[in-house]
Amino acid sequence: MCKRADVQHAALTRVSTKNKPAILLHNSPLLNKLSVNTPFPKWHCQKKRKVDTECRVFKEKWTENYLFTEMNAKPVCLVCNQQVAVFKEFNIRRHYETHHKDKYDHLKGQIRKDEINKLVAGLKKQQSTFTRSRDIADGAVRASYIIANELVQASKPFSDGEFVKTCMLKAAEVVCPEKRPAFANISLTRNTVADRVTELSSDLTGQMKEKIKSFIAFSIAIDESTDVTDIAQLAIFVRGVDETLTITEELLELVPMNDTTTADDIFSALVGALDKVGADWSRAVSLATDGAPSMVGRKAGVATKFRDKVQTANGGQEFWAFHCILHQEALCCKTLQMDHVMSVVVKTVNFIRARGLNHRQFDTFLSDNVIHAGLPYHTDVRWLSRGAALKRFFELRGEIRQFMEKKGRPVKELKCKEWVQDLAFMVDITQHLNTLNTTLQGRNRVVTQYYDSISAFKMKLSLWETQLSNGDTAHFSCLTAVRPEAPDRPDNDLEKYKDNITDLLREFEQRFQVFSELENKFGFFRSPFTVKPSDMPADIQLELIDLQCDSAMKDKFGSVGLDTFYQYLVPGYPKLTAMAAKVLSMFGTTYLCEQVFSVMNNNKTKQRSRLTNKHLNDIVKCAATQDLTPNIDTLVKAKRSQVSGASSSK
């Protein structure tokens, strides 16, 4: 409160206006009548409100609604680059409606987002033309982040940063001596690189926390493997879809399992990782695992526990558990009962490759015959190795027979026409399986693409089964090459191969039943314009009819891929997009986990066995990221430049 005693000696002047009350003059009769405790009116005590004290902030929705963005703490129009004084929706809306509404208001959904992206890209390009690096110190810090990230991508140790800096300084002395001090300011000591990698990883984790809040559907893929120090590492990947049906596929965490790896342990680690980033369990759609007993046990497996938790959160809606398609395809291959072929091949290859002298002599023998490639090993855990080993063995069967005879270890099976014919069939069928395996690998694949590949291969098996029954080996080139001519050919020489194909087809039918259960959803997703609305759930039938009669969308379907077409349905078909989001979010394989384990093994080696679990997680997270990118500019702004000269390097 303002009191008379506080302003007794103030030099007051009387200002009389139409709308404001008069200010009392010193020694005024009215002022003398006021007691010491009489408060002044509130209008006299309040300060004028300033715009910068109102804590106004830019809202992201203004970009889509009014084509504005934030630049240097000012709202800027993306169309005409004009600034508005304050972050006030009325002012921004007025500018949009006055200048740009007629031209842009008819753009809706994904088309409007595409136009906004073009405007943003144009503004950034314009900015980059006129802006320079703020100073050398910021450039040095930025360079240290970039180099640290490159070291991680190349699976190089932290200490290699000092070697890189030495090379840069040597090059600068020759190419641009005047720039050498700028390169000397880049801090690349071992500890600095480790800190940079940790900060890059933390930035990715922060982005993931924000991203996962926008997911309307997400799925999880998990797998477990041991590192060089026998610590089990659980890789957790998340694949989420937001309201615009944009897919984000990233490593969530690499969790060390220092004790047992039971279903309870894995489930606890999985729950902890999801809760750490604030995932909404009710939006989980599926879980993909490697099919180990602890993962898929019906009563106490991780998949069962995960399903129960999700259905508790979403009220009992559908949840799917996938056994990795790549693992299942490898298991199907084991049904080929051709051990009498594989045992001989493996034994012979091991004799040649396991001993250094034999290996050198065999390579010399091949070079004398103008053949340069040797024999590869076969490893069960490598999906494609069996086909490669069998094919090379078949191509070199003559040279192998001669070499083994010279060594006094003749392979009598190579002289048996029936055994060579069995070998040829194994080469052909494993090549077909390897082709399928290759199509199932890769990132950012939609689960329906896996289903299409499996369906196509089952149809091929049915075709081969019929052809072999009729004596046709058109799709088995190696078998055709060694098969006897018609007069010397037994009547039922292909019967056993036909039985092998039948067993393989039966195994594929049994192992991929989960896709049959999802046939309706996959059928709609793959061809929304040909599926019958009556065959689909009642809640989407009307929207499906509207879509099938939309000629613009039909043209768009033919010009874009499945993973992007459904983005154009937003927001006109909410129920169809909700179903599409579930399909888009599904993992079909744990291929990403296998990739991460390769990165893990390349970094945590015998020479780097003391690498901590925290640093290993940071390295793998930076190396495996794809849809997210570390925001180095933000990190540079938050970091004071630390200059390191040659004397500080160790």
Side-chain angles (χ1 to χ4, degrees):
M1 290 290 184
C2 295
K3 298 183 180 180
R4 180 170 177 271
D6 299 326
V7 294
Q8 190 68 30
H9 300 286
L12 299 177
T13 59
R14 183 178 184 86
V15 180
S16 178
T17 63
K18 181 177 180 181
N19 297 322
K20 294 183 180 180
I23 300 177
L24 300 179
L25 293 171
H26 186 58
N27 295 326
S28 167
L30 181 59
L31 179 62
N32 293 331
K33 293 181 180 179
L34 294 175
S35 64
V36 175
N37 296 324
T38 302
F40 270 83
K42 291 183 178 180
W43 56 263
H44 184 272
C45 306
Q46 290 179 340
K47 295 182 179 180
K48 184 178 179 181
R49 187 177 61 179
K50 295 183 178 180
V51 173
D52 57 356
T53 63
E54 295 182 0
C55 300
R56 296 183 183 273
V57 295
F58 184 84
K59 297 181 180 179
E60 293 181 357
K61 66 179 183 180
W62 294 346
T63 301
E64 183 173 354
N65 294 342
Y66 310 122
L67 307 183
F68 266 75
T69 188
E70 182 181 8
M71 183 190 304
N72 298 327
K74 290 287 185 181
V76 179
C77 178
L78 291 171
V79 181
C80 61
N81 297 340
Q82 183 176 340
Q83 291 186 354
V84 176
V86 294
F87 292 122
K88 194 171 182 180
E89 185 172 7
F90 174 81
N91 296 359
I92 293 173
R93 183 175 66 247
R94 182 176 59 186
H95 175 86
Y96 170 75
E97 291 177 351
T98 303
H99 298 91
H100 311 301
K101 181 178 180 179
D102 294 338
K103 184 177 180 180
Y104 293 94
D105 208 40
H106 68 282
L107 301 179
K108 302 293 183 183
Q110 186 62 33
I111 298 176
R112 187 178 182 88
K113 294 182 185 299
D114 291 345
E115 185 64 26
I116 291 173
N117 291 335
K118 291 180 182 178
L119 293 172
V120 171
L123 181 61
K124 289 182 178 179
K125 184 177 180 180
Q126 183 181 3
Q127 285 180 304
S128 63
T129 306
F130 299 101
T131 57
R132 296 179 178 179
S133 179
R134 303 183 77 178
D135 51 37
I136 296 176
D138 281 351
V141 176
R142 182 177 288 102
S144 69
Y145 277 111
I146 294 172
I147 294 173
N149 193 41
E150 291 299 322
L151 290 173
V152 168
Q153 299 293 334
S155 297
K156 298 298 183 181
F158 299 147
S159 56
D160 276 11
E162 299 177 11
F163 172 72
V164 171
K165 182 173 181 178
T166 301
C167 293
M168 288 193 301
L169 293 176
K170 295 289 185 182
E173 290 175 356
V174 177
V175 178
C176 48
E178 71 281 0
K179 297 292 184 181
R180 190 184 185 282
F183 288 100
N185 287 336
I186 302 174
S187 180
L188 290 174
T189 63
R190 182 189 180 282
N191 290 340
T192 299
V193 173
D195 291 341
R196 297 288 189 260
V197 173
T198 298
E199 290 159 7
L200 291 169
S201 174
S202 299
D203 181 75
L204 290 172
T205 301
Q207 292 185 47
M208 194 68 236
K209 287 181 179 179
E210 293 299 319
K211 195 71 177 176
I212 207 167
K213 294 177 182 178
S214 65
F215 290 164
I216 60 175
F218 71 89
S219 294
I220 299 294
I222 57 174
D223 200 354
E224 175 261 327
S225 184
T226 55
D227 59 26
V228 71
T229 58
D230 293 330
I231 296 177
Q233 301 284 350
L234 179 68
I236 305 173
F237 271 86
V238 61
R239 179 185 174 96
V241 179
D242 59 19
E243 293 180 350
T244 63
L245 296 190
T246 302
I247 302 172
T248 302
E249 191 176 74
E250 289 293 346
L251 173 68
L252 194 62
E253 203 78 24
L254 187 68
V255 184
M257 312 286 291
N258 294 307
D259 201 351
T260 58
T261 56
T262 63
D264 288 335
D265 298 326
I266 296 174
F267 180 69
S268 298
L270 178 57
V271 171
L274 287 173
D275 288 344
K276 181 179 178 181
V277 295
D280 185 352
W281 286 83
S282 64
R283 299 178 181 178
V285 175
S286 68
L287 174 70
T289 68
D290 62 350
S294 61
M295 297 285 190
V296 298
R298 292 184 178 180
K299 294 183 178 180
V302 176
T304 302
K305 294 175 180 291
F306 196 85
R307 177 187 289 108
D308 292 342
K309 186 172 180 62
V310 170
Q311 290 183 335
T312 301
N314 65 19
Q317 297 181 17
E318 289 180 330
F319 180 85
W320 305 95
F322 290 99
H323 181 180
C324 173
I325 296 173
L326 285 167
H327 286 81
Q328 291 194 80
E329 190 258 359
L331 292 173
C332 289
C333 298
K334 295 181 180 296
T335 61
L336 294 171
Q337 299 299 324
M338 305 288 283
D339 292 340
H340 66 290
V341 173
M342 285 304 303
S343 61
V344 174
V345 172
V346 172
K347 182 179 178 181
T348 305
V349 171
N350 287 346
F351 175 80
I352 296 174
R353 289 294 307 270
R355 302 179 183 180
L357 178 61
N358 292 344
H359 191 192
R360 293 194 300 272
Q361 290 177 340
F362 184 70
D363 287 345
T364 303
F365 179 76
L366 292 180
S367 62
D368 293 340
N369 290 273
V370 199
I371 301 174
H372 302 289
L375 281 173
Y377 273 122
H378 158 57
T379 308
D380 280 332
V381 297
R382 297 187 181 274
W383 297 316
L384 307 179
S385 66
R386 180 167 68 162
L390 283 170
K391 184 177 181 180
R392 195 68 185 143
F393 189 95
F394 180 79
E395 293 171 347
L396 299 175
R397 62 188 185 280
E399 289 77 10
I400 291 173
R401 186 177 68 179
Q402 296 177 34
F403 181 78
M404 295 299 286
E405 288 175 352
K406 287 178 61 176
K407 282 291 185 179
R409 301 284 295 271
V411 182
K412 59 182 181 179
E413 288 84 358
L414 289 173
K415 299 180 180 180
C416 176
K417 293 183 179 180
E418 184 178 355
W419 188 89
V420 173
Q421 188 170 311
D422 292 346
L423 171 64
F425 171 76
M426 278 292 290
V427 173
D428 287 327
I429 193 62
T430 51
Q431 287 302 305
H432 289 308
L433 289 166
N434 280 3
T435 302
L436 171 63
N437 193 291
T438 303
T439 61
L440 297 176
Q441 298 183 33
R443 299 194 65 156
N444 291 323
R445 303 286 300 278
V446 182
V447 69
T448 55
Q449 295 174 315
Y450 299 123
Y451 175 74
D452 292 341
S453 298
I454 295 298
S455 298
F457 192 76
K458 289 194 293 185
M459 293 181 66
K460 292 177 183 178
L461 289 174
S462 298
L463 174 66
W464 298 335
E465 184 182 22
T466 303
Q467 290 179 335
L468 291 175
S469 299
N470 298 328
D472 185 1
T473 59
H475 299 286
F476 296 84
S477 57
C478 295
L479 180 58
T480 303
V482 301
R483 193 181 179 204
E485 297 296 332
D488 303 327
R489 188 184 302 158
D491 294 336
N492 59 346
D493 64 325
L494 300 179
E495 188 66 25
K496 58 182 177 181
Y497 306 139
K498 177 258 181 185
D499 293 339
N500 284 329
I501 296 296
T502 302
D503 294 339
L504 189 59
L505 177 58
R506 187 183 304 114
E507 191 71 14
F508 267 81
E509 293 283 1
Q510 181 180 351
R511 286 194 173 275
F512 295 102
Q513 289 180 354
V514 65
F515 289 119
S516 300
E517 299 172 7
L518 287 165
E519 175 62 34
N520 263 356
K521 286 185 174 60
F522 288 173
F524 148 73
F525 185 85
R526 287 177 299 169
S527 53
F529 292 96
T530 59
V531 69
K532 293 182 179 180
S534 58
D535 294 338
M536 303 306 296
D539 59 333
I540 68 168
Q541 290 176 353
L542 298 182
E543 283 192 9
L544 184 58
I545 293 173
D546 291 337
L547 176 63
Q548 292 179 348
C549 296
D550 192 333
S551 57
M553 287 300 174
K554 189 174 294 186
D555 294 339
K556 184 66 69 175
F557 182 76
S559 61
V560 299
L562 275 178
D563 54 342
T564 58
F565 165 72
Y566 287 95
Q567 295 179 5
Y568 292 92
L569 299 187
V570 181
Y573 302 90
K575 295 180 180 178
L576 291 181
T577 53
M579 179 177 287
K582 292 183 178 180
V583 177
L584 285 169
S585 70
M586 289 181 179
F587 276 110
T589 70
T590 58
Y591 173 79
L592 297 179
C593 299
E594 302 292 342
Q595 275 193 321
V596 159
F597 294 143
S598 296
V599 175
M600 176 186 75
N601 292 329
N602 288 337
N603 283 277
K604 193 169 184 179
T605 61
K606 291 182 179 179
Q607 289 74 29
R608 298 182 73 191
S609 59
R610 296 180 64 184
L611 191 68
T612 65
N613 291 323
K614 177 65 170 63
H615 280 152
L616 179 62
N617 181 41
D618 294 336
I619 290 170
V620 171
K621 190 172 291 187
C622 293
T625 185
Q626 180 166 311
D627 296 323
L628 299 180
T629 304
N631 195 337
I632 294 178
D633 290 337
T634 301
L635 294 173
V636 170
K637 290 179 181 178
K639 172 71 70 174
R640 285 184 58 191
S641 177
Q642 298 177 357
V643 180
S644 67
S647 60
S648 62
S649 301
K650 296 182 180 180

